[in-house]
């Protein structure tokens, strides 16, 4: 006795299955590749960033399917863009500061050389004071111009004349 069973099939609409894949780790490479529009796409990174957050219709027009991952990526791109802008500003400030320091360093080196010359001159005058006095007396009393020209470099050496100062005296 075969019992006949009737099975009733109820026709139903297929329900979409929602699967959520784990988000990949966020890195600058992932962000760039995720946001890079495909050649056929009609939106750009700039349009994503400039979309009016308060207007859902406008966002839907820019990118029809918007997910929390998209929002996170946009937020990360905005944060990174702000960080980049801040870093560029800091680089400009540091470059200007470096230029000022270089100028100050040059000025301080010149002042240091002047102080060193002055200190050396003090030592030399103390040590060679009598000799310098005799050379100056000879310079002022001698009539021969060739002897005078020969005494100028000696005085310049004792007094640590710069080459420009020595040139000025020799051409006078």
């Amino acid at each position: 006795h075969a019992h006949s069973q009737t099975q009733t099939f109820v026709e139903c609409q297929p329900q979409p299955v929602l699967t959520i894949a784990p988000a990949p780790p966020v890195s600058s490479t992932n962000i760039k590749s995720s946001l890079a529009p495909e050649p056929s796409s009609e939106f750009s990174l700039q349009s994503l960033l400039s979309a009016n957050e308060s207007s859902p219709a406008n966002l839907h027009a820019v990118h029809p399917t918007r997910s929390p991952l998209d929002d996170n990526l946009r937020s990360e791109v905005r944060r990174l863009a702000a960080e980049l802008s801040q870093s560029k500003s800091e680089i400009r400030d540091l470059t200007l500061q470096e230029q000022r320091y270089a100028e100050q360093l040059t000025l301080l080196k010149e002042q240091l050389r002047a102080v060193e010359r002055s200190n050396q001159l003090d030592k030399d005058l103390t040590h060679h004071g009598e000799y310098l006095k005799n050379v100056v007396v000879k310079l002022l009393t001698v009539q021969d111009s060739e002897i005078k020209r020969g005494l100028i470099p000696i005085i310049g050496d004792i007094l640590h004349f710069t080459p420009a100062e020595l040139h000025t005296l020799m051409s006078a």
Side-chain angles (χ1 to χ4, degrees):
H1 74 266
H3 180 260
S4 136
Q5 281 184 311
T6 36
Q7 292 181 342
T8 308
F9 289 101
V10 177
E11 195 173 308
C12 50
Q13 296 291 330
Q15 296 295 318
V17 177
L18 179 63
T19 57
I20 300 176
V26 177
S27 71
S28 61
T29 306
N30 288 346
I31 291 172
K32 288 177 189 173
S33 64
S34 297
L35 292 178
E38 295 180 17
S40 64
S41 181
E42 292 191 22
F43 65 93
S44 68
L45 177 59
Q46 188 59 37
S47 64
L48 287 173
L49 291 175
S50 63
N52 184 353
E53 292 287 338
S54 64
S55 170
N58 190 16
L59 282 175
H60 187 69
V62 172
H63 193 278
T65 58
R66 187 166 166 194
S67 70
L69 179 60
D70 291 340
D71 290 340
N72 289 343
L73 289 175
R74 275 189 203 87
S75 176
E76 182 68 7
V77 167
R78 282 189 196 97
R79 185 189 69 74
L80 290 172
E83 192 176 308
L84 176 63
S85 177
Q86 178 66 30
S87 295
K88 285 180 179 180
S89 176
E90 289 173 4
I91 287 171
R92 279 190 301 274
D93 292 346
L94 290 171
T95 301
L96 289 173
Q97 188 176 21
E98 179 186 21
Q99 289 172 349
R100 285 192 299 269
Y101 286 157
E103 291 169 1
Q104 287 177 344
L105 181 63
T106 301
L107 188 65
L108 289 172
K109 283 181 178 179
E110 289 172 6
Q111 290 175 347
L112 179 62
R113 282 191 284 276
V115 168
E116 287 173 343
R117 278 193 308 268
S118 177
N119 288 343
Q120 187 62 41
L121 180 60
D122 288 345
K123 284 184 197 175
D124 288 348
L125 286 177
T126 302
H127 187 260
H128 300 293
E130 188 65 29
Y131 178 66
L132 178 62
K133 180 179 84 169
N134 292 334
V135 172
V136 170
V137 168
K138 182 77 166 175
L139 177 71
L140 295 174
T141 58
V142 73
Q143 298 298 320
D144 188 352
S145 62
E146 284 302 311
I147 295 175
K148 284 185 178 189
R149 285 184 61 81
L151 293 173
I152 292 175
I154 296 170
I155 294 171
D157 190 42
I158 294 169
L159 297 177
H160 299 281
F161 288 167
T162 65
E165 293 168 332
L166 191 58
H167 177 66
T168 301
L169 290 175
M170 292 299 284
S171 56

